[in-house]
Amino acid sequence: MSCVLILADFIGGKNTKTTAELATAAARIGDVCAVVLAPTGQGAAYAAALVQGPISTVLVVESDGFAAHGVGAAADVLTQIIAQKNPAAVLIASHAFGKELAGRTAVKSGSGIITDAVDVAADITATQMVFGGSTTVHSKISHGTPIITLRPNSITADLKSVSPTIEMLSFDVAESSKKSTLTSSQPPVQGGRPELTEADIVVSGGRGTNGDFAAVEAFADSLGAAVGASRAATDAGWYPHSHQVGQTGKSVSPQLYVACGISGAIQHRAGMQTSKAIVVINKDPEAPIFEIADFGVIGDLFAVLPKATEGVNARKA
Amino acid sequence: MKIAICIKQVPDSWAEKKMVNGLLDRINVDAVLNDLDEYAVEEGLRIAEAHGGNEEGAANSVTVISMGPERATEAVRKALSMGANNAILISDPKLAGADALTTSKVLASVILKGEFDIVICGTESTDARMSVVPAMIAERLSCAQLTFASAVTVDPAAKKVVITRVTEAGVDEMFGQFPVVVSVVEKINEPRYPSFKGIMAAKKKTIEVLDLSAVGISIENAWSVVVDAAPRPPRAAGIRITDDGGGGDQLVKFLTEKKLI
Ligand SMILES: Cc1cc2nc3c(=O)[nH]c(=O)nc-3n(C[C@H](O)[C@H](O)[C@H](O)COP(=O)(O)OP(=O)(O)OC[C@H]3O[C@@H](n4cnc5c(N)ncnc54)[C@H](O)[C@@H]3O)c2cc1C
Ligand SMILES: Nc1ncnc2c1ncn2[C@@H]1O[C@H](COP(=O)(O)O)[C@@H](O)[C@H]1O
């Protein structure tokens, strides 16, 4: 069976649950080799985190260039691995870094690329949802090694326990791939909530919160959810930019998305329309967000959310 | 400094989009300048203005570069009326339906010839939505990639560009030496409206239109093919209630019944 590369998805040194999703999709195509790009001296620790999902082999490359030079360095090494292993396909998480890495690797390796897939079949046909989720497209890559980025949370991961074989590889990062240099990096303030793109439930607040996210956060915490925000809320400085959902923020596909005081502009929808279920709380019955709601409450979020929070907490008690 | 700004004409975000033979129907929809590229134009102009301006004879020039059909001249004119001096439009029937690999190849060739110091892009085109063209241009030019910038500082004497960016992993600061490819997020600035004077001046500016042979490259067929495309069934109309004090409880009941919690 041919091997399929996935790029193990580490964010801030932590393996995300997207890695198992990538492995699950890749296992339909062939034997899964997970590539781990780790800082020098941390390869073994990174590899040890890959114990879930149908992964056969972990390929570890250590370099301080990954942190220092970002996408360019990662693309350089990934291309060398592709040349050595000649995989049937390469699957990468579809976030900003993953897409750029896929793009540069496609150029370097002479391969076609598909981004934002929500599914990948055994014959390497990718499914995408375009035009705000209104159209489903199936495509295939006709050139080189298919490189596909898969949206986090789109497929159900096979979480079986595994102990893959670990192979240490050694590659140098070319000088030409070290043109941009990181000088400082501040980790995000996480506050104990799940990561937005990985969360099963996202509760978001918009202009309707009027700057007070306490009710949104309390409801999110009762559900163990991540907190998102519309651009109106991040622009006003009410919530950090990193929590913006939408075209120019993050794309999320949780099981449940709760939009509170958000009107549903097309740019907001672009980042949440593929959510499995959508619940809306908005005072204005004309708000366009109701068009895509599975359950909509016409009402004041400051009245509805505390009641709902109480209700959820009571169920748990 | 020679500054290039890559802009794309896209179907209006609000227009209903359709697929024809596996490609986006671009003929029958209103087309506009990709709104995310307006931030790139604005940032390019601000960089020039902060370091001696871009008027005739000034130290800097600002050139907009676009690949698209003839009628993309409308979007290019808008960028010119905001204040860019020069424009290059690459237009060729062979480029219809070009993918990101081809687009980046074409743009990179034009950028290389123009010997630009700073290339500024938007973070994504609202139609293709791939966010890969800037990274691919950087790869093709083997130059610094400074993408998703929410702040940009340029030191022309040191030929150095520093950016701040928000990523999955936090807030980063990074730098590169000329030539650099920057992409900017919509938080970075407030794009200006073209002034009347700007609009009049833009009418007199020339747009250099190049076909593929003038660019001097050939292109391959698309590297990915659409097998099929189908409209998804519209979402079933949801339940809607008006809160009379019990809205929160009904919401929880819905979530419980649907096993969402
Ligand atoms: C280039 C570009 C990119 C963009 N990218 C994004 C993006 O990534 N993400 C994004 O979200 N937006 C984005 N936008 C902005 C988008 O167009 C909207 O302006 C934005 O989403 C509006 O945010 P909102 O829904 O919170 O605010 P509004 O549209 O003002 O809606 C507020 C809603 O709250 C309701 N409300 C008010 N008070 C209450 C209350 N007490 N209880 C309940 N409901 C209440 C109102 O009825 C209203 O419907 C982008 C725009 C542009 C031009
Ligand atoms: N056809 C094009 N002509 C000029 N610039 C483009 C074109 N396509 C993409 N770009 C630039 O690349 C950015 C990202 O586009 P994309 O990768 O298509 O999402 C855009 O915001 C533009 O700055």
Side-chain angles (χ1 to χ4, degrees):
Chain A
M1 204 155 60
S2 56
C3 100
V4 183
L5 293 185
I6 63 167
L7 181 75
D9 191 49
F10 282 84
I11 292 180
K14 280 205 351 237
N15 181 36
T16 74
K17 73 176 213 205
T18 311
T19 302
E21 295 167 8
L22 293 168
T24 305
R28 299 170 186 158
I29 306 165
D31 239 11
V32 181
C33 291
V35 173
V36 169
L37 304 180
T40 306
Q42 291 188 44
Y46 272 50
L50 303 186
V51 290
Q52 273 191 324
I55 301 170
S56 325
T57 313
V58 178
L59 307 174
V60 183
V61 184
E62 291 186 347
S63 168
D64 290 330
F66 302 135
H69 306 294
V71 184
D76 192 30
V77 167
L78 188 57
T79 306
Q80 297 181 60
I81 300 176
I82 292 172
Q84 191 182 92
K85 301 284 173 187
N86 193 21
V90 182
L91 304 188
I92 302 174
S94 208
H95 39 50
F97 173 81
K99 290 204 277 189
E100 291 194 332
L101 173 61
R104 291 189 68 141
T105 306
V107 169
K108 267 188 177 323
S109 64
S111 302
I113 171 180
I114 291 173
T115 57
D116 276 313
V118 293
D119 207 359
V120 182
D123 68 349
I124 324 183
T125 300
T127 308
Q128 291 162 290
M129 303 237 243
V130 300
F131 310 153
S134 66
T135 304
T136 305
V137 175
H138 293 110
S139 5
K140 288 191 85 148
I141 287 168
S142 47
H143 251 73
T145 308
I147 300 178
I148 299 174
T149 70
L150 184 68
R151 265 202 186 186
N153 249 339
S154 297
I155 66 166
T156 313
D158 169 359
L159 291 177
K160 71 170 178 192
S161 299
V162 285
S163 40
T165 318
I166 295 174
E167 200 181 315
M168 300 293 280
L169 301 175
S170 164
F171 294 106
D172 290 330
V173 179
E175 284 308 312
S176 60
S177 302
K178 291 183 182 170
K179 296 288 176 70
S180 19
T181 305
L182 188 80
T183 44
S184 77
S185 185
Q186 277 165 14
V189 218
Q190 203 72 64
R193 296 199 181 90
E195 217 282 316
L196 200 50
T197 49
E198 286 180 57
D200 287 328
I201 305 180
V202 175
V203 181
S204 289
R207 200 192 309 275
T209 61
N210 206 9
D212 181 0
F213 264 68
V216 170
E217 288 186 330
F219 188 52
D221 289 341
S222 76
L223 298 170
V227 175
S230 73
R231 180 175 169 198
T234 59
D235 271 357
W238 299 341
Y239 226 71
H241 183 185
S242 54
H243 288 254
Q244 182 170 315
V245 172
Q247 178 171 52
T248 48
K250 291 193 170 143
S251 287
V252 299
S253 304
Q255 295 299 321
L256 170 63
Y257 188 86
V258 185
C260 312
I262 293 176
S263 63
I266 198 153
Q267 294 92 349
H268 187 77
R269 292 188 192 194
M272 45 68 73
Q273 204 142 17
T274 51
S275 305
K276 292 356 160 251
I278 297 171
V279 165
V280 166
I281 304 167
N282 196 306
K283 298 208 277 216
D284 175 10
E286 304 294 324
I289 189 92
F290 280 114
E291 290 163 20
I292 55 167
D294 298 292
F295 189 85
V297 183
I298 303 164
D300 188 335
L301 68 93
F302 294 105
V304 178
L305 280 179
K307 286 268 172 59
T309 308
E310 232 172 75
V312 173
N313 286 335
R315 272 185 81 248
K316 290 193 285 197
Chain B
M1 288 179 288
K2 289 190 79 177
I3 300 170
I5 300 162
C6 296
I7 63 159
K8 186 178 185 186
Q9 173 155 296
V10 297
D12 191 342
S13 306
W14 292 101
E16 193 188 330
K17 292 170 202 161
K18 284 202 279 299
M19 301 283 278
V20 176
N21 300 328
L23 291 175
L24 175 61
D25 176 9
R26 291 176 192 274
I27 313 287
N28 298 307
V29 293
D30 284 342
V32 295
L33 168 59
N34 176 27
D35 46 22
L36 297 174
D37 294 345
E38 289 186 25
Y39 301 89
V41 176
E42 178 65 34
E43 198 59 25
L45 293 170
R46 285 190 191 191
I47 292 170
E49 286 157 4
H51 298 281
N54 65 319
E55 293 79 22
E56 286 257 352
N60 311 298
S61 66
V62 177
T63 305
V64 291
I65 303 177
S66 185
M67 186 193 102
E70 272 311 290
R71 77 158 168 164
T73 47
E74 298 158 29
V76 172
R77 272 297 163 218
K78 174 154 188 200
L80 287 174
S81 64
M82 286 172 76
N85 324 63
N86 315 305
I88 302 172
L89 173 66
I90 308 100
S91 204
D92 194 305
K94 290 199 202 81
L95 288 169
D99 56 13
L101 284 156
T102 300
T103 304
S104 64
K105 184 174 181 184
V106 170
L107 294 174
S109 314
V110 172
I111 292 164
L112 191 65
K113 260 191 214 147
E115 297 181 326
F116 292 100
D117 300 307
I118 304 178
V119 179
I120 309 179
C121 297
T123 44
E124 111 179 359
S125 52
T126 54
D127 56 346
R129 299 211 60 205
M130 290 183 75
S131 283
V132 296
V133 168
M136 285 179 167
I137 295 175
E139 177 62 49
R140 291 186 187 277
L141 298 175
S142 278
C143 72
Q145 174 193 327
L146 305 172
T147 46
F148 294 95
S150 49
V152 179
T153 329
V154 178
D155 180 345
K159 300 183 185 302
K160 183 175 166 185
V161 179
V162 182
I163 66 149
T164 306
R165 69 199 305 249
V166 178
T167 69
E168 281 79 13
V171 182
D172 291 352
E173 192 170 282
M174 39 191 332
F175 76 90
Q177 300 289 137
F178 291 174
V180 299
V181 176
V182 177
S183 78
V184 298
V185 300
E186 94 294 353
K187 298 275 185 240
I188 196 165
N189 58 41
E190 193 61 57
R192 67 195 66 184
Y193 287 103
S195 64
F196 179 70
K197 202 172 135 228
I199 294 169
M200 295 316 286
K203 290 196 170 141
K204 295 201 203 86
K205 294 176 187 167
T206 39
I207 300 177
E208 189 184 345
V209 182
L210 307 175
D211 61 10
L212 277 176
S213 64
V215 175
I217 56 166
S218 59
I219 56 160
E220 293 91 359
N221 291 332
W223 291 35
S224 57
V225 286
V226 171
V227 180
D228 59 60
R232 294 176 73 222
R235 256 178 195 271
I239 304 164
R240 202 192 298 192
I241 60 158
T242 302
D243 181 39
D244 53 4
D249 292 333
Q250 280 173 272
L251 198 164
V252 176
K253 198 163 152 254
F254 171 83
L255 297 179
T256 312
E257 276 169 8
K258 293 284 176 204
K259 302 203 163 41
L260 289 163
I261 56 172

